[in-house]
Amino acid sequence: MTLRTRILVLVCALVVLAGVATASVLHASARAERRNQARPGGPRITAGPVSLTDSRRLVFRNMAWGPHRDELTSVAASDPSGPRTAARVKCLRFYAASGTGVCLQAVHGAMRDTYRAVILDAGLRVRARYEVPGIPSRARVSPSGRYAAWTAFVGGDSYAGTNFSTRAAIVDTRTGRLTPSLEEYRVVKDGRTYHAADVNFWGVTFAADDRTFYATMATHGTTHLVRGDLTARTVTTLRANVECPSLSPDGTRIAFKKRVKGLPKDAPWHLYVLDLRTGRETPLAEPRSVDDQVVWRDDRTLVYALPGDYGADLWTLPADGTGAPRRVSTAAVSPAYVR
Amino acid sequence: MYLADSRAGAPEAAAASAESAAPPRAGRRLAAVAPTVLALGTVSLITDVSSEMVTAVLPLYLVAGLGLSPLGFGLLDGVYNGFSALVRLVGGHLADRGGGRHKWVAGAGYALSAACKPLLLVARTLTPIGLVLAADRTGKGLRTAPRDALISLSSTPETRGRAFGVHRAMDTAGALLGPLAAFLILRATVDGYDAVFMVSFCVAVVGVLVLVLFVPGGPAARAPRTTTDGTTTPAAPTASTTPAAPRPTLRVALALLRRPELRGIALCALLLGLATVSDSFMFLLLQHRLGVPDRWFALLPVGTAGAFLLLAVPLGRLADRAGRWRVFLAGHGALLLAYALMLTSWHGTALPFAVLFLHGGFYAATDGVLMAAASDSVPAELRSSGLALVQTGQALARFVCSLGFGAAWTAWGDRTALTGSAVALALCALFALSLRPARRTPPEGTV
């Protein structure tokens, strides 16, 4: 092949490939238009006021296509698949309790996205904003509404490799005092202060006393359930292989995802409930791997998200190991029963 | 700053790739870098744009797009990395067998990685995604050693440092442009991950095409320059021009380690690698010790890459003039200085910049320079295997160092761990320094 031929081949290929690349970008940007059109058969959504104090409502991030995609919506708690009311607030993750909401948002920048945590009042007005150092995943508010916590994945940059670490932050919404990473707390493991470079925290859940919380701590390839103390600023390990704990409203049990042997490495989790007094674990009747921090609807019922056609669907399950999972709502994630 | 620089580099690179098709260096100045090197640099630049586009959006895609948690993937990552090190040895060996298959083994690696990009569109759970990324990394492992062998074989011993410097600078420019391209696409679309993967695929195909069209392959392509590569040991005759030469077996490839010069280099790379704190730890240390704010954390790798890009060519040239081994050791001196800066109690705003600059300088003075130095002590027909041996040894040593550093941080805190690394690095450097006279025998070590 002469130089001319080679250059000609390259130029022709460049034209074709540039065409394909442009077409795929145009296709993806046109899809944005389509996603703003509601799908037939999808849930009925209308804009309207959403309150974080209306105890008959369930609030979540709506993922159904249409003009209210990714907005916070509320539905009747008694009929989660019924008509939705959407507020003009977009969140990636969300949680609320006692009139306080935490909404983890993406801020689209020119070079890259950044993320922030927004504290909302009962009328979804912004009370405070905090930087989040990576892609947000878990969000929680204490039952009293005073404390909020969130987890972010940090890393994944080219030169840092594809290893991820997590940062869990807790903020006192009354004083504004922020703990950007639980790694600042003293870790007590097996009765002794524990130091490790590879400690990661995620999935905070609060008790009603506004002092105790539970979370996941990972170190040396093992995950631990830890009990935290907001006053003493300590976390104490309780037991191994507990991820994304969620404390029941009565404070006696913890629902969590547990890594089970023999499952595929990427989908290794089954749901369990741990009785904090007896230490007994009860496997739940969900055969699929769940990667979510479950929510207690009441002391007997759990709600959690599983991947679905439009991102995620909400499922429900009895907390005592009986029954079978039931889908309660499609195209929804990050549910919160506002109490 | 680095963006302006890489943009300035791109047209030049494109022109160079076309130029490389011309018969190599008829009347060229000795000082210029061989067209093959520029062509390979262009391939790397394009391929890195493609692969870093995916790397940059992958966590976002997993969490925001698919609703998965990327932690599981992070756990698998170590396995893939070990696997990639082994594939590198295989790629190196395959390229040497049959003399002159470097281009095609490297091309297979580039093509495999390219083919993985559209597969990401189909894979929607972690296992398939993990498999696709493993295949992608296999491609990377396959191509690295043959590519570096081609660079060394197509440049004269006197200009090898510069050749590797040019290649690494182009490579890094691609790595910096990739994330930018990805985020421009995400801006132009809504949830346009599929568009990112598709564009990444198209870009990767261009990279493969440039390799196929403009990188000379076969023994003929590398013959004119390799014969000047008279290494000291006559164990393997310079048979690169004779197709009938016996195929290097695995045993012969492993016997390379019996050569004192290569063994010396491999040993030093290994020892120094054992004292080289991994990038992730380096950035964590910066954040911990110098209090870099969270929102800047993601930009720390950009700082290192920027310095690498700026310094790769000048330090490569310096390596040719002042001696590769000297520059290689000086690079570790820069790393030692970076450690020392992080250990001081003085916290100026300039300090993180200085540390990142030194860190990038460390890569610029060692990454390509080590390959140039190792090239001097491996005969042409075993070049690819020899370079793969050194690279794999270094990678494994760094992995061990990461484990040890994590454990030391756990046991004694970051300050002590860093002090330990600094002392270990100083000792290894001293040992490497003492080895130097023994392996200064190759006549072309300095000009």
Side-chain angles (χ1 to χ4, degrees):
Chain A
M1 253 198 278
T2 65
L3 176 60
R4 261 185 74 135
T5 329
R6 278 184 280 191
I7 291 177
L8 200 67
V9 170
L10 183 66
V11 168
C12 290
L14 278 179
V15 170
V16 173
L17 290 168
V20 173
T22 312
S24 72
V25 173
L26 289 179
H27 174 77
S29 61
R31 185 184 44 211
E33 298 303 310
R34 275 183 287 123
R35 280 198 180 174
N36 284 334
Q37 306 299 318
R39 291 230 136 186
R44 198 158 57 80
I45 310 169
T46 46
V50 170
S51 158
L52 297 184
T53 43
D54 188 345
S55 60
R56 293 157 302 144
R57 309 288 287 179
L58 168 67
V59 181
F60 52 75
R61 169 188 166 194
N62 166 50
M63 297 181 93
W65 288 12
H68 302 294
R69 196 163 189 270
D70 298 330
E71 289 179 0
L72 288 184
T73 54
S74 80
V75 295
S78 53
D79 179 22
S81 56
R84 300 178 180 184
T85 306
R88 297 261 172 225
V89 178
K90 286 194 178 193
C91 305
L92 295 170
R93 302 280 168 151
F94 167 78
Y95 196 75
S98 298
T100 302
V102 59
C103 165
L104 306 179
Q105 297 176 324
V107 185
H108 300 300
M111 288 269 295
R112 61 197 320 147
D113 286 349
T114 53
Y115 304 92
R116 66 181 176 204
V118 177
I119 306 296
L120 303 169
D121 68 9
L124 300 187
R125 282 175 297 266
V126 175
R127 285 176 54 200
R129 289 192 179 90
Y130 301 93
E131 275 174 26
V132 175
I135 299 160
S137 73
R138 309 285 178 229
R140 273 296 191 270
V141 175
S142 68
S144 72
R146 176 171 171 185
Y147 287 97
W150 55 84
T151 307
F153 288 106
V154 182
D157 251 288
S158 51
Y159 274 78
T162 35
N163 274 309
F164 298 91
S165 60
T166 61
R167 303 258 173 84
I170 294 184
V171 69
D172 181 340
T173 64
R174 208 159 67 193
T175 63
R177 185 185 183 193
L178 172 76
T179 303
S181 169
L182 275 183
E183 288 162 49
E184 290 177 12
Y185 278 33
R186 190 164 72 89
V187 180
V188 181
K189 185 164 175 276
D190 308 323
R192 285 214 302 263
T193 298
Y194 177 77
H195 292 288
D198 69 346
V199 163
N200 279 303
F201 288 97
W202 66 87
V204 173
T205 183
F206 293 99
D209 62 1
D210 272 345
R211 173 166 181 174
T212 310
F213 67 90
Y214 296 86
T216 317
M217 182 186 90
T219 179
H220 282 78
T222 310
T223 59
H224 301 269
L225 174 66
V226 293
R227 186 178 53 227
D229 186 324
L230 290 165
T231 311
R233 294 173 68 81
T234 58
V235 293
T236 310
T237 59
L238 298 182
R239 63 194 289 146
N241 200 1
V242 172
E243 287 181 65
C244 293
S246 179
L247 192 64
S248 63
D250 62 14
T252 60
R253 284 154 298 153
I254 277 177
F256 65 101
K257 50 185 230 210
K258 174 178 175 173
R259 235 168 243 278
V260 179
K261 278 208 179 79
L263 290 183
K265 266 193 171 161
D266 64 302
W269 298 291
H270 273 178
L271 290 183
Y272 280 74
V273 165
L274 168 72
D275 189 310
L276 285 170
R277 284 168 303 195
T278 63
R280 211 168 71 88
E281 283 180 6
T282 309
L284 299 186
E286 169 59 83
R288 291 163 292 185
S289 178
V290 175
D291 186 4
D292 193 18
Q293 187 175 19
V294 305
V295 163
W296 293 76
R297 184 202 160 126
D298 48 50
D299 281 325
R300 293 179 313 279
T301 322
L302 303 175
V303 176
Y304 51 93
L306 274 171
D309 290 342
Y310 300 100
D313 299 332
L314 295 182
W315 294 73
T316 187
L317 193 66
D320 59 2
T322 64
R326 192 166 56 82
R327 184 162 68 187
V328 291
S329 193
T330 56
V333 76
S334 281
Y337 287 92
V338 290
R339 281 185 263 264
Chain B
M1 192 194 351
Y2 61 90
L3 286 177
D5 217 77
S6 55
R7 236 181 274 132
E12 184 195 336
S17 69
E19 203 183 352
S20 68
R25 64 182 280 259
R28 290 186 147 264
R29 281 177 303 127
L30 200 74
V33 170
T36 305
V37 174
L38 289 175
L40 284 168
T42 310
V43 174
S44 287
L45 189 152
I46 295 170
T47 306
D48 258 38
V49 169
S50 161
S51 61
E52 296 302 323
M53 279 175 78
V54 171
T55 313
V57 303
L58 198 66
L60 198 61
Y61 174 62
L62 293 181
V63 180
L66 296 182
L68 306 170
S69 93
L71 266 191
F73 174 64
L75 292 173
L76 293 178
D77 198 52
V79 181
Y80 297 152
N81 275 332
F83 182 60
S84 168
L86 288 178
V87 170
R88 201 172 275 216
L89 287 174
V90 173
H93 181 61
L94 278 180
D96 282 336
R97 282 179 71 93
R101 278 204 266 171
H102 299 83
K103 177 182 169 178
W104 300 112
V105 174
Y110 281 111
L112 179 60
S113 293
C116 288
K117 268 70 185 190
L119 289 180
L120 281 172
L121 291 171
V122 192
R124 301 189 65 85
T125 52
L126 262 184
T127 302
I129 289 173
L131 286 175
V132 170
L133 293 174
D136 186 283
R137 222 159 289 185
T138 305
K140 189 177 170 59
L142 266 183
R143 71 193 180 226
T144 308
R147 180 202 64 203
D148 280 350
L150 268 178
I151 294 171
S152 84
L153 290 171
S154 56
S155 46
T156 60
E158 295 79 31
T159 60
R160 232 168 239 160
R162 176 204 316 243
F164 275 104
V166 168
H167 175 267
R168 294 303 195 260
M170 294 174 80
D171 188 83
T172 310
L176 286 169
L177 286 175
L180 192 65
F183 279 94
L184 285 178
I185 293 171
L186 282 188
R187 280 298 74 75
T189 61
V190 170
D191 288 353
Y193 301 103
D194 52 346
V196 172
F197 298 150
M198 210 52 212
V199 172
S200 165
F201 169 66
C202 293
V203 173
V205 171
V206 174
V208 175
L209 272 177
V210 171
L211 176 92
V212 170
L213 292 171
F214 298 109
V215 174
R222 58 193 188 125
R225 283 170 302 278
T226 49
T227 40
T228 59
D229 184 57
T231 38
T232 44
T233 28
T238 40
S240 48
T241 42
T242 47
R247 289 178 160 208
T249 59
L250 205 56
R251 209 151 51 92
V252 175
L254 283 175
L256 274 172
L257 283 179
R258 278 208 288 273
R259 294 165 166 264
E261 320 90 67
L262 187 68
R263 198 171 52 207
I265 288 183
L267 189 65
C268 285
L270 202 83
L271 278 175
L272 289 165
L274 280 175
T276 307
V277 175
S278 79
D279 287 359
S280 352
F281 272 128
M282 198 72 185
F283 300 134
L284 273 180
L285 277 168
L286 260 175
Q287 199 186 27
H288 248 242
R289 300 217 49 84
L290 303 184
V292 175
D294 265 349
R295 75 197 123 115
W296 297 116
F297 189 76
L299 288 178
L300 296 180
V302 177
T304 294
F308 186 5
L309 174 69
L310 284 177
L311 295 172
V313 177
L315 289 181
R317 293 175 71 133
L318 186 68
D320 286 335
R321 252 177 286 143
R324 276 156 208 153
W325 204 240
R326 226 176 269 173
V327 171
F328 182 72
L329 286 178
H332 285 86
L335 186 64
L336 197 58
L337 192 57
Y339 289 176
L341 282 181
M342 285 197 284
L343 285 169
T344 54
S345 44
W346 173 66
H347 283 189
T349 27
L351 210 52
F353 292 95
V355 170
L356 288 176
F357 187 77
L358 287 168
H359 193 223
F362 157 71
Y363 276 111
T366 54
D367 194 55
V369 172
L370 176 66
M371 288 300 105
S375 298
D376 295 341
S377 12
V378 188
E381 55 283 339
L382 288 171
R383 186 64 49 84
S384 191
S385 315
L387 296 188
L389 273 176
V390 176
Q391 287 168 351
T392 303
Q394 190 184 37
L396 290 179
R398 285 186 176 167
F399 179 65
V400 170
C401 173
S402 276
L403 293 181
F405 190 84
W409 187 330
T410 297
W412 303 299
D414 60 344
R415 194 182 166 85
T416 315
L418 187 59
T419 311
S421 301
V423 171
L425 184 61
L427 288 177
C428 291
L430 278 179
F431 176 74
L433 211 60
S434 75
L435 270 187
R436 194 171 65 157
R439 56 152 314 282
R440 280 288 288 238
T441 36
E444 75 278 14
T446 48
V447 181

